[in-house]
């Protein structure tokens, strides 16, 4: 190559070229979003398309952008997993806010690595973390970072907890791992705690067999008295408690654990308290009825919260806050402590690098979407949207309570769990479970509504979780009407 070698033609985009592609993409997005309510909530991806994708070779030659986008319109856009549709009440998978959608493109246009440095993306992320830390009552010298989601936030929190627990018993876990030591490390998790904690325990070498499962009360909240007894028994036997994970909104029923009492127990026994607020965190931080829980958050050691769930950010966006900044850095930093510099405000280095406080080195500019949405909606705008979702869930729960063939099984945050029970039902629980499973699968593929399934107190339940401000009270009614219509069709057609 010499100096006259031009930039490859396929790489050169004039501003007008960029606009042309951008306008087409914006048109597609606008059509997609505005058309969602008129399309089936869900339809399985067609078999012939699955076959085509499984066999199609990598193109040797590229195609025009328009042709590629046409393919997206035909084979991708019509087959979402349902979220975004106003009658999708299944997993904690919200629709993306429009500002978040375009923020993704803006972040990608800059495409920085937010490992660290003195550039805008770093300072935006620091501001986002500080805003959440302020809401949760974490101190100014706490730390935090955006991660891929609740699972990574939990893994990050537990990593720091494990580091501290190991240090206390004289183990250098970064050098030696948990190998060859006599001490047994244990974690505490409520029966309703999210499975992400199990994965984290396994990855960290604690082992899911060393998770103490603490029973729940009748509202499916972790029982502090049982937790206290278990910790005291374990300490007496010389075990090493790593952390307690409590929930600010369980995925199954939206239960919020009694964080203030749990925080007391953890403080008394010097056990790390990690709170999983991946789903319920925003409601606890913003809604008046959770003021007591919110006050307890100021006492926890680490908090996981997912903007990509109930803050309507496009996937992915998780957040972890950690009270002890030094412990977080000691757990992850590859820079020896004597060489660490915290601030280089006028130079390239900038503030302490995010890559020293978490697992990832190259990190995306996740903060931009969260930042733009927080600025656009404000705390009050968010509070109103979340309160709307809770009100739709209330409407759903009222509808269940008022229907003779439905039975309410659990209600918390924006989750409603219920099951069908035909008025003249004479079968046993097993048959009722089977009937509810059939109702759910017919509803899911019917395209008019979408719910998830779960187990509540040993019985199969239909589970609705509302995290879409585009869902109305009428949508709640329509979902129940669909469930009841499917139930009647199934029970009319089958001998009982
Ligand atoms: C309460 C709770 N915790 C943790 C997670 C895991 O989060 P993620 O899927 O973002 O890793 C979820 C996911 O639904 C959740 O609802």
């Amino acid at each position: 190559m010499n100096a006259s070698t031009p930039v490859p033609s396929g790489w050169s985009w004039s501003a007008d070229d960029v606009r042309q592609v951008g306008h087409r993409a914006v048109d597609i997005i606008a059509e997609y979003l505005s058309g969602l309510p008129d399309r089936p909530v869900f339809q399985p991806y067609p078999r012939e398309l699955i076959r085509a994708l499984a066999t199609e070779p990598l193109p040797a030659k590229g195609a025009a952008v328009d042709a590629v986008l046409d393919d997206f319109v035909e084979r991708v856009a019509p087959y979402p997993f349902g979220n975004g549709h106003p009658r999708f009440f299944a997993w904690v998978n919200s629709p993306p806010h429009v500002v978040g959608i375009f923020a993704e493109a803006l972040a990608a246009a800059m495409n920085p690595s937010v490992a660290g440095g003195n550039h805008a993306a770093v300072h935006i992320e620091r501001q986002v973390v500080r805003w959440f830390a302020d809401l949760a009552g974490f101190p100014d010298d706490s730390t935090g970072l955006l991660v891929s989601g609740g699972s990574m936030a939990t893994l990050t929190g537990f990593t720091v907890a494990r580091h501290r627990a190991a240090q206390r018993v004289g183990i250098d876990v970064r050098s030696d791992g948990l190998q060859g030591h006599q001490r047994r490390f244990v974690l505490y998790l409520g029966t309703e705690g999210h499975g992400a904690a199990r994965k984290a325990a396994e990855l960290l070498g604690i082992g899911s067999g060393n998770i103490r499962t603490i029973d729940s009360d009748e509202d499916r909240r972790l029982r502090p008295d049982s937790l206290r007894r278990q910790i005291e028994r374990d300490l007496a036997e010389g075990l090493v408690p790593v952390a307690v994970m409590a929930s600010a909104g369980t995925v199954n029923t939206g239960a919020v654990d009694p964080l203030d009492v749990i925080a007391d127990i953890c403080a008394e026994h010097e056990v790390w308290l990690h709170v999983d607020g991946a789903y319920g965190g925003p409601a606890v931080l913003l809604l008046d009825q959770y003021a007591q829980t919110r006050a307890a958050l100021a006492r926890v050691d680490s908090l996981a919260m997912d903007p990509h769930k109930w803050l309507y950010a496009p996937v992915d966006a998780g957040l972890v806050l950690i009270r002890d900044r030094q412990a977080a850095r000691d757990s992850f930093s590859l820079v020896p402590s004597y060489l660490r510099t915290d601030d280089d405000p006028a130079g390239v280095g900038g503030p302490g690098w995010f890559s020293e406080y978490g697992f990832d080195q190259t990190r995306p500019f996740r903060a931009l979407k969260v930042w733009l949405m927080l600025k656009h909606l404000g705390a009050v705008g968010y509070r109103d949207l979340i309160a709307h979702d809770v009100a739709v869930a209330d409407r759903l729960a009222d509808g269940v309570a008022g229907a003779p063939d439905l039975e309410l099984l659990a209600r918390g945050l924006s989750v409603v769990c219920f099951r069908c029970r035909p008025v003249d039902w004479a079968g046993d629980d097993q048959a009722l479970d089977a009937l509810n499973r059939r109702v759910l699968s017919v509803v899911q593929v019917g395209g008019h509504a979408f719910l998830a399934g779960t187990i509540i107190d040993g019985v199969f339940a239909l589970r609705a979780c509302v995290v879409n401000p585009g869902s109305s009270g009428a949508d709640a009614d329509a979902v129940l009407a669909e469930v009841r219509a499917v139930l009647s069709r199934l029970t009319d057609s089958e001998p009982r």
Side-chain angles (χ1 to χ4, degrees):
M1 181 183 289
N2 56 42
S4 61
T5 307
V7 170
S9 62
W11 191 253
S12 298
W13 293 77
S14 69
D16 275 343
D17 292 340
V18 175
R19 278 191 193 98
Q20 211 180 334
V21 174
H23 290 160
R24 173 87 204 279
V26 169
D27 283 343
I28 293 171
I29 291 169
E31 288 293 316
Y32 176 81
L33 294 176
S34 62
L36 267 179
D38 304 322
R39 291 198 293 272
V41 186
F42 169 75
Q43 49 185 332
Y45 201 65
R47 282 172 194 276
E48 63 278 12
L49 292 186
I50 295 176
R51 253 193 313 274
L53 289 182
T55 52
E56 212 171 82
L58 169 73
K61 283 184 133 190
V65 178
D66 257 332
V68 178
L69 290 177
D70 285 344
D71 204 10
F72 170 83
V73 171
E74 270 169 43
R75 296 200 294 179
V76 183
Y79 306 104
F81 208 1
N83 61 309
H85 194 289
R87 292 191 297 282
F88 173 89
F89 292 157
W91 305 291
V92 198
N93 194 185
S94 59
H97 191 283
V98 170
V99 168
I101 296 173
F102 292 109
E104 289 280 47
L106 298 176
M110 293 182 76
N111 204 32
S113 167
V114 198
N118 196 5
H119 55 112
V122 164
H123 295 286
I124 296 296
E125 182 161 342
R126 284 167 68 85
Q127 184 174 68
V128 166
V129 169
R130 179 171 60 77
W131 282 346
F132 283 110
D134 287 349
L135 280 173
F138 271 53
D140 289 347
D141 61 353
S142 59
T143 188
L145 71 168
L146 292 175
V147 291
S148 56
S151 306
M152 196 59 177
T154 297
L155 180 64
T156 307
F158 282 4
T159 303
V160 186
R162 183 188 67 156
H163 187 82
R164 196 180 72 174
Q167 211 168 31
R168 286 207 176 138
V169 292
I171 293 172
D172 180 350
V173 75
R174 293 198 57 178
S175 154
D176 302 339
L178 292 179
Q179 311 219 48
H181 305 295
Q182 296 305 314
R183 308 296 294 266
R184 192 168 147 213
F185 288 70
V186 285
L187 266 168
Y188 302 85
L189 179 64
T191 51
E192 301 288 311
H194 194 273
R198 282 181 195 279
K199 276 195 195 169
E202 289 169 12
L203 288 175
L204 290 170
I206 295 163
S208 48
N210 292 312
I211 289 182
R212 306 303 210 187
T213 306
I214 308 299
D215 57 346
S216 307
D217 63 17
E218 62 280 7
D219 295 322
R220 296 168 193 86
R221 297 158 19 117
L222 185 149
R223 286 184 54 168
D225 52 344
S226 303
L227 175 68
R228 175 189 291 282
R229 269 198 303 277
Q230 188 65 55
I231 291 178
E232 287 174 357
R233 206 175 303 138
D234 289 344
L235 285 172
E237 286 175 16
L239 306 189
V240 184
V242 173
V244 171
M245 184 175 99
S247 300
T250 60
V251 67
N252 222 18
T253 66
V256 177
D257 291 336
L259 297 186
D260 42 1
V261 191
I262 295 171
D264 288 342
I265 297 168
C266 288
E268 200 180 312
H269 296 290
E270 297 189 347
V271 180
W272 185 281
L273 174 55
H274 174 80
V275 168
D276 176 8
Y279 157 47
V284 168
L285 290 183
L286 296 170
L287 299 187
D288 290 344
Q289 61 264 42
Y290 295 106
Q292 195 186 345
T293 305
R294 180 157 66 244
L297 286 183
R299 300 170 58 205
V300 313
D301 293 291
S302 51
L303 170 65
M305 212 185 63
D306 278 356
H308 71 202
K309 291 192 168 70
W310 215 355
L311 290 172
Y312 320 111
V315 174
D316 64 13
L319 171 81
V320 59
L321 298 177
I322 296 172
R323 172 176 307 278
D324 186 341
R325 166 188 292 269
Q326 197 52 45
R329 200 172 193 184
D330 288 345
S331 304
F332 289 105
S333 179
L334 295 172
V335 182
S337 41
Y338 62 92
L339 285 179
R340 288 180 199 163
T341 51
D342 242 333
D343 283 310
D344 179 17
V348 177
W353 282 43
F354 287 114
S355 55
E356 285 190 60
Y357 292 85
F359 184 70
D360 293 317
Q361 181 66 30
T362 300
R363 303 174 64 251
F365 191 5
R366 285 190 187 98
L368 185 65
K369 56 194 171 194
V370 183
W371 185 70
L372 286 176
M373 291 169 62
L374 285 169
K375 282 170 74 74
H376 171 64
L377 291 166
V380 172
Y382 262 120
R383 189 193 62 202
D384 292 348
L385 294 178
I386 291 168
H388 168 89
D389 293 342
V390 174
V392 172
D394 282 339
R395 168 102 195 162
L396 204 58
D398 289 346
V400 169
D405 47 2
L406 300 177
E407 189 183 358
L408 189 64
L409 297 176
R411 171 80 190 94
L413 291 172
S414 62
V415 175
V416 183
C417 297
F418 63 100
R419 68 173 170 177
C420 303
R421 176 187 275 278
V423 178
D424 51 353
W425 180 254
D428 60 13
D429 273 356
Q430 229 178 340
L432 195 56
D433 273 7
L435 175 62
N436 276 278
R437 283 180 197 279
R438 276 205 304 284
V439 169
L440 179 66
S441 68
V442 174
V443 168
Q444 285 182 335
V445 295
H448 301 294
F450 202 99
L451 297 164
T454 189
I455 302 291
I456 302 287
D457 300 333
V459 306
F460 185 78
L462 309 183
R463 175 182 161 282
C465 178
V466 185
V467 284
N468 181 357
S471 302
S472 64
D475 290 310
D477 295 351
V479 166
L480 289 188
E482 173 68 2
V483 169
R484 298 180 69 196
V486 169
L487 174 67
S488 333
R489 279 205 308 276
L490 287 178
T491 45
D492 286 350
S493 65
E494 286 174 23
R496 267 182 267 152

